[in-house]
Amino acid sequence: MNNFWFSVPTDIFFGKDQVTVLGKNLKKAGAEKVLLAYGHGSIKKNGVYNDIVSELEKVSIPFVELSGIDPNPRISTVREGAEICRKEGVDYIIAAGAGSVIDCCKAIAAARYYSGDPWDFFTRKATIKKALPICTVLTLAATGSEMNGGTVISNPETEEKLATGSMKMKPKFSVLDPCYTFSVPKDQTAAGIADIMSHIFEQYFSYPESAVQDFMSEAILKTIIKYGPTAIEKPDDYEARAQIMWAGTIALNGLLGAGKDGDWATHLIEHELSAKYDITHGTGLAILTPHWMRKVLDKDNVEKFSTYGRNVWGIEGKDPFKVAADSISATSRFFSSLGIPSKLSELGISDDKFEEMAESALKYNSIGRFKCLSKSDIVEIYRNSL
Ligand code: NZQ
Ligand code: ZN
């Protein structure tokens, strides 16, 4: 296991009606004016907005709003949010929504104290030195953004979608009420499940192997495989939603990847798709993942893939290559069983931009630590996913 520093200063309030901690916590933190930020209105339909406003009213904390944060949140919204925070004297941000809202709020929190253009944080021209405190009220289980310091922002002008991270953007606390996810549509629930599984894969298929992290990963994958279909068939099944929600948070709060060199190839390849075609992140991952697995599987890592097959899917057999191949098919079938498209062409994507996307993916990073991928490898994964 590599050396690591693990620190997550995010308090989690998990369960029914936990939103009632909101006002008290903000008061305790000395908040005097908050920004209430959300997406395109789902929180107004499912009651989350009213719950938050009523908590703020109880403690008499005034707030201003930023609404309309897009899925694949835009840098222009980050600029707008930072300006509101400066002008209105906001001292705390409530991110009420899913990964896109939370990511946008993190970037706004950092941009508030930066005099240049916040896109600089994503192109590595500037580092984050200071950020407003944020808290989250999570409404969709997927990204883990509610308990990590990462943010992913799109820039439609440059057709880029880039990530950055900082301890300073880790939420101070997050409210995780599984009931708030009952209204998530089937396709977004499925995409969220694929995203959670992908986060685990990115850390599980990586070196050095480490029993604690890898067995935990297998346990969480089995939990998702057990409860995911129920969350889709019965959207208001509390236990299924609760299991998936907590799985999503743990999958990307640093625990499973501590002491390991995460791979993250599939994510970086997918971000190109979201950047160019504005597709749902988890849907892109579900399509790419089995093709990434097939591309990287070789004699050096076949044991890892066959362990995955045996421990997660219960696949038996003596030939490790056969078990590995069957485990990849099982992964692919599971995503399809959730109703996720299995081909990029189903999303209206053709091979026009594959070369360009592969180049762009490699612009700031090398891709893949489990297995390093070249430009032609990436193009091949896109083509096989078509
Ligand atoms: O806009 P609203 O009205 O909020 O509707 C959203 C949106 O249309 C809807 N939704 C959310 N909660 C709902 C709901 N609809 C009904 N009921 C609810 N309770 O779902 C749609 C998708 O929302 P979005 O925030 O985009 O979903 P997700 O949580 O999957 O976030 C995806 C974004 O996070 C980034 C992705 O790249 C993508 O931009 N990621 C962030 C990471 C991080 N910060 O650690 C890691 C991830 O790998 C990922 O890259
Ligand atoms: Zn993801």
Side-chain angles (χ1 to χ4, degrees), residues 249-260:
T249 303
I250 297 175
L252 201 54
N253 72 353
L255 190 62
L256 303 183
K260 302 191 76 182

Side-chain angles (χ1 to χ4, degrees), residues 84-322:
I84 295 174
C85 290
R86 282 190 207 104
K87 212 170 88 196
E88 299 282 347
V90 164
D91 57 12
Y92 214 111
I93 301 177
I94 303 173
S100 295
V101 169
I102 301 173
D103 283 7
C104 191
C105 288
K106 288 174 175 174
I108 290 169
R112 156 68 182 85
Y113 292 112
Y114 181 61
S115 56
D117 183 17
W119 189 241
D120 294 348
F121 295 137
F122 297 87
T123 55
R124 313 279 183 264
K125 283 192 191 132
T127 50
I128 293 163
K129 300 227 165 64
K130 193 174 172 188
L132 281 171
I134 83 163
C135 68
T136 85
V137 179
L138 184 66
T139 64
L140 193 167
T143 65
S145 189
E146 65 277 8
M147 204 178 181
N148 69 40
T151 168
V152 191
I153 298 292
S154 294
N155 186 339
E157 281 164 31
T158 60
E159 290 197 342
E160 287 175 298
K161 179 176 184 182
L162 299 175
T164 191
S166 164
M167 274 298 280
K168 299 195 168 58
M169 294 189 295
K170 286 193 178 178
K172 301 294 176 206
F173 67 97
S174 284
V175 172
L176 274 57
D177 183 340
C179 302
Y180 286 170
T181 66
F182 288 176
S183 57
V184 178
K186 283 188 195 308
D187 61 335
Q188 289 292 340
T189 301
I193 289 168
D195 191 22
I196 299 167
M197 291 177 75
S198 177
H199 295 156
I200 300 172
F201 294 146
E202 301 278 21
Q203 299 166 98
Y204 179 80
F205 292 106
S206 74
Y207 300 111
E209 296 196 29
S210 181
V212 172
Q213 294 87 329
D214 292 356
F215 283 136
M216 281 196 295
S217 293
E218 289 169 1
I220 300 171
L221 286 168
K222 285 167 81 168
T223 305
I224 296 165
I225 291 161
K226 178 172 174 183
Y227 287 99
T230 311
I232 289 178
E233 280 152 29
K234 296 189 215 148
D236 58 355
D237 186 302
Y238 182 85
E239 196 54 30
R241 290 291 195 180
Q243 295 293 334
I244 298 295
M245 193 173 218
W246 190 221
T249 303
I250 297 175
L252 201 54
N253 72 353
L255 190 62
L256 303 183
K260 302 191 76 182
D261 295 325
D263 184 70
W264 299 107
T266 316
H267 266 68
L268 292 168
I269 297 173
E270 193 295 312
H271 284 170
E272 294 301 319
L273 290 171
S274 302
K276 299 277 187 303
Y277 298 98
D278 203 16
I279 64 167
T280 299
H281 172 61
T283 306
L285 290 171
I287 296 172
L288 294 171
T289 294
H291 298 290
W292 170 82
M293 288 177 163
R294 287 188 188 106
K295 178 69 200 162
V296 302
L297 171 64
D298 65 17
K299 64 176 175 30
D300 296 328
N301 57 39
V302 66
E303 280 307 324
K304 184 76 184 187
F305 276 101
S306 58
T307 301
Y308 163 64
R310 288 182 224 285
N311 292 358
V312 175
W313 294 104
I315 297 168
E316 292 174 0
K318 288 200 176 122
D319 176 1
F321 275 100
K322 169 94 173 60

